Structure formats: structure tokens, C-alpha cells
Amino acid sequence: MTTAATSPSSKGELTRQSILDAAIVRFGRDGYRATSVADIARDAAVSGTAAYAHFPNKEALFLAALDEDAAAVISEGVLHLLDDSVASAEWHETLILTLVAAVDRHPLARRVIAGLEPDVTDRVIDIPAMLELRKTVAARLRADQAAGRVRPDIDASAIADGAVGIIVSLLMAVIQLGTAAVGVYGEGIWAIFTAALDPLPD
């Protein structure tokens, strides 16, 4: 969904965004196979011709809607990492909780993460917002290294990639298996983060 910083200005951009917003809701609720471009155009109060003027086919519309919805989820995680009030020892725990809460507000991202659209699940890994999340985690780690809160001998970029991989996997487990997954695996996962990040005792 759009934000104030990225709100479209021209009529064409507004129409495109209306179509994307309708696609996120409809694809999220009914899935790719059960949804037509005509359904989405009706929901967006535009003609089918207008929809095809912005998206060449249903697949292109679906992928654009998925990218938009998944990026909105990930952006909440990025904002969380930039929040200085979140303690360094807790960011990885609260990041997963932030993403779980965010995905509940984004129906298409939730559907894909839940495994209900298996042909495109891997696309979430490659969207630009995921790269931004990895960069932000790396920046957070470097800042914590400079402050002496994280081991100085680790490669922040490599650890960031691994950390995001673990967090996304846990997010998928929570969505597919329920919050019991955190209860079963959470403590062990936080222990891995502690072992990897905490400064070694003198």
C-alpha cells in the first residue's frame, strides 16, 4: 500500500496504485488461480483496458502486487532496526515479532509466506526491499560493533545475510505452523544469535 512519502501524483500513477491495492486484497483473499484481471479492475473501479494499460497480463500484475505487499512488510522491519530505542540485545527477537505483526496486515504477502502460492514463494527473497533489510541489519551490526556491543571479529555483511535468512525462515514457520513454532525453536534461535554476536568474555 502507498505511504505519504511515496504517494502517486499523476492520474496514471493513481490508477496504477488503485489497481495494485485492489490486486493485493483480491489475490491475498482468493489466490492467483481464482482471480481474474476483470475482478481486480472492478474492485479498483477501473476498466479492464485500464488495468492492461498498466500491467500486460495477470502474472505481471500478481508479481507487482506481491512485490509491493512484501516490501511493505519488510519496510516495517527496516524501520524497527533504525529505532534507537530497541536494545541491541533484543533487535533480532523483536524484529521477528515486528514482521509477524506486519504480515498480518498484508494479505498477499501472508498468503505467499504461508506457502499457498508455491510457484512464487522464492520471489520474496529477491525483491529490493529484502536487500534493504539485509543492508540495514549489517549497518545495525556495524554500529553495535563500534559501540562494543557486538563481537568485533565478525563480518557484519555475512552475519546480516545469515540473520535475515534465519528470521525469514522463522517467519515462514510461524505463519505456516502458528506461534507454537517460536515456543519450540525460539529459545534455541536466540541462543544462536547470542553466540554469534555477543562479545567474547575477557
Side-chain angles (χ1 to χ4, degrees), residues 5 17 26 30 45 49-50 53 88-89 119 130 140-141 153 166 168 173 178:
Q17 190 61 52
R26 177 69 80 148
D30 298 338
T49 304
S88 296
D119 293 340
M130 188 63 78
R140 177 77 193 238
L141 290 172
D153 60 319
I166 290 170
V168 170

Side-chain angles (χ1 to χ4, degrees), residues 81 87-95 134 136-164 166-167 188-201:
L81 287 166
S88 296
E90 299 172 355
W91 68 262
H92 40 81
E93 294 181 42
T94 54
L95 177 57
R134 294 200 302 268
T136 306
V137 170
R140 177 77 193 238
L141 290 172
R142 288 189 195 97
D144 287 345
Q145 281 178 316
R149 295 185 294 259
V150 165
R151 294 171 51 167
D153 60 319
I154 63 169
D155 181 328
S157 294
I159 294 294
D161 287 349
V164 169
I166 290 170
I167 288 166
I189 289 169
W190 313 144
I192 289 171
F193 278 106
T194 297
L197 301 179
D198 284 6
L200 298 172

Side-chain angles (χ1 to χ4, degrees), residues 27-32 106-117:
F27 281 133
R29 186 183 69 219
D30 298 338
Y32 180 80
H106 297 278
L108 183 52
R110 182 181 177 84
R111 182 179 182 85
V112 170
I113 291 170
L116 299 176
E117 300 287 348

Side-chain angles (χ1 to χ4, degrees), residues 16-185:
R16 184 180 189 279
Q17 190 61 52
S18 294
I19 295 165
L20 270 180
D21 290 346
I24 288 167
V25 173
R26 177 69 80 148
F27 281 133
R29 186 183 69 219
D30 298 338
Y32 180 80
R33 291 184 185 279
T35 298
S36 70
V37 174
D39 293 330
I40 292 166
R42 265 193 311 277
D43 293 347
V46 301
S47 69
T49 304
Y52 283 113
H54 292 279
F55 304 95
N57 52 47
K58 184 170 89 165
E59 181 182 12
L61 176 53
F62 179 81
L63 293 176
L66 173 57
D67 288 355
E68 173 108 347
D69 209 34
V73 172
I74 293 166
S75 71
E76 293 195 34
V78 169
L79 289 174
H80 162 79
L81 287 166
L82 296 174
D83 184 354
D84 291 335
S85 69
V86 178
S88 296
E90 299 172 355
W91 68 262
H92 40 81
E93 294 181 42
T94 54
L95 177 57
I96 182 64
L97 299 176
T98 298
L99 293 174
V100 168
V103 84
D104 277 340
R105 295 187 291 276
H106 297 278
L108 183 52
R110 182 181 177 84
R111 182 179 182 85
V112 170
I113 291 170
L116 299 176
E117 300 287 348
D119 293 340
V120 295
T121 303
D122 60 346
R123 184 178 180 88
V124 175
I125 302 301
D126 294 325
I127 65 172
M130 188 63 78
L131 174 60
E132 187 62 28
L133 180 60
R134 294 200 302 268
K135 286 170 138 182
T136 306
V137 170
R140 177 77 193 238
L141 290 172
R142 288 189 195 97
D144 287 345
Q145 281 178 316
R149 295 185 294 259
V150 165
R151 294 171 51 167
D153 60 319
I154 63 169
D155 181 328
S157 294
I159 294 294
D161 287 349
V164 169
I166 290 170
I167 288 166
V168 170
S169 297
L170 185 57
L171 175 62
M172 294 176 83
V174 169
I175 298 305
Q176 294 183 31
L177 303 176
T179 53
V182 175
V184 173
Y185 298 109

